[in-house]
Amino acid sequence: MNESAWSLEEKIGQLFICGFHSLEADEQILTLIKDYHVGGTVYFRRNIESVPQLAALSSALQRLPRNHADVPLFIAIDQEGGMVARLDHEGMSRIPGNMSLGAAGDLSLTEATARLAAKEMLALGINFNFAPCIDVNNNPANPVIGVRSFGENPLKVAEHGVAAITGYQQQGVIATAKHFPGHGDTAVDSHRGLASVPHDKERLNAVELLPFRHAIEAGVDAIMTAHVIFPAFEPDGIPATLSRKVLTDLLRTELGYQGVIVTDCLEMHAISKESGIAEGAVQSLQAGADLVLVSHTLSDQIAAIEAVKKAVKEGRITEERINQSVERVLRLKEQRLGTPTFEAGKEVPAAPVQMPLTPDEEHVPLLTQIAEKSVTLVKKGSNFPLNAAKPVLVVWPELRHRTEVDEPAVHRYTLADALEKCGVQVELAVIGTYPEDEELEQVLNTSQAYDQIVVVTYTAEGALPEGQKQLVQELCRIHEDRVVAVSTRNPYDIHEFPEAETYLCLYENRSYALDALAKVITGRLQPTGVLPVGLNSSYPAGFSYTLN
C-alpha cells in the first residue's frame, strides 16, 4: 500500500463493512461509500428479491464512483446453509446447514457443499462469506448456535470446518471462521446480551480453540470475533471483540494468526448496550480487529467511523495501527478479488447478468445425498416405519416470526408434501411454533381419527416452546405407540418428551431434508445419520440407530 496516496478517512473507511435496507443502492449505502469510503457491505434478506436483482445490485455497487475505485468492495453475506441462509430463493441451491453435514459425517460432502455455495455466491457478485461457524455446540441451552455448529466433538468440528474453508477459498470466496474464541458453550444470545464462558485455559484449548487452530493451519482468510467474555484469557470482563488480550495476545501472538480479523456486528446488544457502538468500534481496533461490522443503522455506522477518526486524531489509536489493518484488508482483496472487471462510474448494463444457477444434474444428487445421509433415528418404537397404505396425520409447526438468525420461511413445503410424493394419504395440521391453546385443542381432536401420527417440532431459540412441548406430551399420552416425533432443528427436543417411543432428528426443515425424512419413516430408506451432539447417556454424540 502506498500510504501517501490514501487519506486517513479513506483508510478508516476500508476497515468498515456496513449494511443497508434496500433492494437497490440506496442513499444509505451511497453515503457510506461516497462520503465515508467504506470498504464493503453486507447483504441480508431485506436486500434480496431474486437472483437477477441481486446480481445487478452487486454489479451496481462495484461500479459506484469512489476514490480508489480500482479497489473492489467486499460484498459479504451470512450464507451458512440450512436454517441460516440469506440466499434461499428460486434459482439457488438450498444448501444444508452444518449440523446436517455433521450428522452425514462425510468431509467430502462438506467441502463439495462449500464449493457449490461459493460458485453461486460469486455468480451473484458476493465475495465474502461469514461462514463456516466452527463453534463447538456443547451446551443444549445455547439459543443462538445449535444447528449452526457441526456438533459437539471438537476434532470433528475442526475437520468439517477445514473442509468448508477449503471449498470456499478454492473457488475464490473469502471464508470466515466464527465466532472466536467460541460461542458454543453459552446460554445467552449475544444479539440480546453479554455471555461468558468461564472455563479454564486447559479446557478452552482442548475444546473451543481446537477448531480455530485447525482453521489457522488451513490458511483461513478471516476470523470473526465473539461478543463473549472469556475470563481465562481476559480477567477484566471485556468481551473478546474488544479485548487486546484475546485478539492480539491470544489470536495473533499465541496462535500465530496473520489473516483478517472481523468483528461480529457491533449493533448486537452485547456491545451496543454495554460499551456502545461507536466506542466499540474504537476498542475493537485497539484490540486488534481489522474489519468492523455495523450492519443496520446509518447513524450508528457514521458515529462509529467518526469515533475511530477522532480516536486517531486524539492518539488513542495510532495511524500505524490503522495502516496495519488496511494492509491486511488490501492484501486480502488483492488475493481473493483480484483485478476488478468493472469500470468505476460506468452504468450497469441493461441486460441482467447471466445466472446459470438453477440446480442441475450435478447439484441435486449432492444435496439429496447429504439429506439422506443426515436423517438420524434415535428411538424406534413398534410403529416404525409407518404403514404407507394407511393415512397419516402430520402436525407441522410453521415459523411465523423472525429471530436474529431465522426469518419466516418463504417456502411452504412441508413433511406432508414429502409424504404425499411417497404415495401416503396425509392430513396436515399446521400450528405456529408458539401455538395458541385453540390450535392445540384442534390438533388433539383431529388426532382421534388417526392410528399414525407424525408430530414435528421446531425450536428456534433455546428450549422447545411450551405449546409444542405440551402437544407432544399429550399426543404421546393419548396415542402412545402411534406417535412418531421428529425434531426439525434442535435435536435436544426429546428432553421435553422422553416418553416418545419413536424419535428422529432432522436438523432443518427444508425440502431435500423433508424428502429424505419421508423416505426413512416409510421404510424406503435406511437411516444412517449419526448424532452430532449427545442427548443423554443413552444417546451420546456419535450414536447411530441401525435397523435390522
Side-chain angles (χ1 to χ4, degrees):
M1 181 186 75
N2 180 4
E3 295 176 13
S4 63
W6 290 70
S7 68
L8 175 62
E9 290 79 6
E10 290 167 344
K11 289 189 285 190
I12 291 172
Q14 280 293 311
L15 308 187
F16 279 82
I17 293 181
C18 297
F20 61 105
H21 292 264
S22 175
L23 298 172
E24 299 178 345
D26 61 9
E27 283 301 315
Q28 180 176 4
I29 195 62
L30 292 173
T31 296
L32 291 165
I33 291 174
K34 178 182 176 182
D35 297 340
Y36 293 92
H37 316 289
V38 298
T41 190
V42 56
Y43 288 151
F44 292 86
R45 192 178 288 272
R46 68 197 182 202
N47 302 116
I48 306 166
E49 182 178 64
S50 68
V51 162
Q53 167 268 325
L54 190 59
L57 174 58
S58 298
S59 181
L61 289 172
Q62 294 287 17
R63 286 179 166 83
L64 288 176
R66 60 188 186 274
N67 297 348
H68 305 288
D70 58 325
V71 177
L73 296 169
F74 286 137
I75 298 182
I77 199 165
D78 289 284
Q79 185 67 358
E80 299 175 19
M83 305 313 298
V84 184
R86 312 298 183 206
L87 301 173
D88 195 18
H89 298 69
E90 188 68 31
M92 300 298 299
S93 297
R94 295 175 185 125
I95 62 172
N98 285 357
M99 197 163 280
S100 291
L101 291 164
D106 188 327
L107 298 179
S108 67
L109 295 180
T110 299
E111 182 176 335
T113 297
R115 284 199 307 269
L116 170 59
K119 289 177 183 178
E120 297 187 344
M121 283 185 279
L122 288 174
L124 293 167
I126 298 165
N127 51 44
F128 201 148
N129 194 14
F130 292 149
C133 175
I134 59 171
D135 299 304
V136 180
N137 196 81
N138 43 25
N139 188 335
N142 194 314
V144 69
I145 301 300
V147 292
R148 302 168 67 190
S149 168
F150 291 107
E152 71 173 39
N153 182 299
L155 182 58
K156 290 186 181 299
V157 171
E159 291 171 341
H160 282 281
V162 168
I165 289 163
T166 301
Y168 290 128
Q169 293 184 178
Q170 283 186 349
Q171 293 299 319
V173 167
I174 296 164
T176 310
K178 63 185 188 185
H179 305 81
F180 183 85
H183 206 326
D185 196 1
T186 64
V188 175
D189 180 351
S190 52
H191 292 89
R192 299 178 177 179
L194 188 55
S196 176
V197 177
H199 303 297
D200 60 25
K201 289 183 179 180
E202 183 178 4
R203 149 60 197 259
L204 292 169
N205 274 293
V207 178
E208 279 75 11
L209 292 184
L210 190 145
F212 289 98
R213 291 182 186 275
H214 282 249
I216 291 167
E217 291 172 3
V220 68
D221 287 332
I223 290 179
M224 178 177 281
T225 67
H227 302 331
V228 177
I229 297 171
F230 291 82
F233 300 127
E234 175 52 88
D236 295 329
I238 301 171
T241 296
L242 310 182
S243 170
R244 183 171 179 83
K245 291 184 177 70
V246 173
L247 299 191
T248 296
D249 296 349
L250 175 60
L251 182 53
R252 290 281 186 220
T253 303
E254 184 176 334
L255 300 185
Y257 181 61
Q258 298 304 313
V260 167
I261 300 174
V262 56
T263 73
D264 209 339
C265 180
L266 298 190
E267 292 184 69
M268 293 162 62
H269 287 183
I271 301 296
S272 63
K273 300 296 185 183
E274 301 287 335
S275 303
I277 295 166
E279 179 61 20
V282 173
Q283 291 183 21
S284 67
L285 291 171
Q286 288 176 320
D290 302 303
L291 283 171
V292 178
L293 179 61
V294 189
S295 300
H296 306 294
T297 309
L298 179 60
S299 59
D300 290 329
Q301 293 162 339
I302 293 173
I305 294 169
E306 293 287 2
V308 172
K309 179 181 174 181
K310 181 180 178 183
V312 174
K313 297 210 177 272
E314 293 179 348
R316 292 182 64 196
I317 302 176
T318 66
E319 193 160 354
E320 179 184 4
R321 170 71 197 86
I322 296 295
N323 290 341
Q324 291 170 352
S325 288
V326 174
E327 287 167 0
R328 288 192 192 98
V329 166
L330 294 183
R331 189 182 309 124
L332 180 57
K333 286 188 173 183
E334 183 177 2
Q335 177 187 0
R336 291 294 174 208
L337 312 189
T339 303
T341 58
F342 56 85
E343 296 178 26
K346 183 177 178 181
E347 291 188 5
V348 180
V353 179
Q354 286 294 100
M355 302 300 297
L357 295 183
T358 302
D360 58 20
E361 294 180 357
E362 174 188 355
H363 301 166
V364 171
L366 169 65
L367 300 175
T368 300
Q369 182 184 10
I370 295 167
E372 292 183 349
K373 292 188 72 172
S374 71
V375 181
T376 309
L377 178 62
V378 177
K379 295 176 68 177
K380 176 186 176 298
S382 59
N383 60 342
F384 186 89
L386 298 180
N387 183 344
K390 297 175 63 177
V392 176
L393 174 66
V394 170
V395 183
W396 180 261
E398 182 178 65
L399 182 63
R400 296 171 181 169
H401 72 290
R402 182 186 181 279
T403 73
E404 294 297 342
V405 293
D406 285 309
E407 297 180 59
V410 295
H411 306 289
R412 299 301 179 187
Y413 194 80
T414 72
L415 178 59
D417 298 304
L419 285 170
E420 286 176 348
K421 286 168 62 174
C422 293
V424 180
Q425 181 184 341
V426 182
E427 179 172 349
L428 177 64
V430 177
I431 61 174
T433 49
Y434 294 87
E436 302 290 338
D437 290 343
E438 294 80 4
E439 292 179 290
L440 303 183
E441 183 178 356
Q442 184 174 356
V443 169
L444 292 173
N445 289 336
T446 302
S447 72
Q448 300 293 340
Y450 287 87
D451 290 329
Q452 299 188 117
I453 301 162
V454 181
V455 57
V456 176
T457 60
Y458 184 93
T459 300
E461 303 170 283
L464 184 68
E466 187 65 24
Q468 291 189 59
K469 171 184 172 180
Q470 292 176 3
L471 178 60
V472 181
Q473 291 175 341
E474 190 65 9
L475 285 170
C476 290
R477 185 188 69 79
I478 296 171
H479 300 284
E480 298 180 343
D481 63 353
R482 288 182 284 169
V483 177
V484 173
V486 182
S487 64
T488 56
R489 179 168 178 145
N490 188 338
Y492 305 110
D493 286 354
I494 194 175
H495 292 167
E496 307 300 338
F497 44 85
E499 62 270 32
E501 293 194 17
T502 299
Y503 180 65
L504 297 98
C505 294
L506 206 62
Y507 309 94
E508 53 198 72
N509 60 15
R510 309 170 92 199
S511 58
Y512 290 106
L514 295 172
D515 284 343
L517 174 63
K519 293 176 185 176
V520 168
I521 63 178
T522 56
R524 299 184 178 198
L525 178 70
Q526 175 91 348
T528 58
V530 175
L531 278 176
V533 294
L535 305 182
N536 53 42
S537 58
S538 299
Y539 307 109
F543 175 85
S544 178
Y545 194 115
T546 303
L547 293 175
N548 294 324

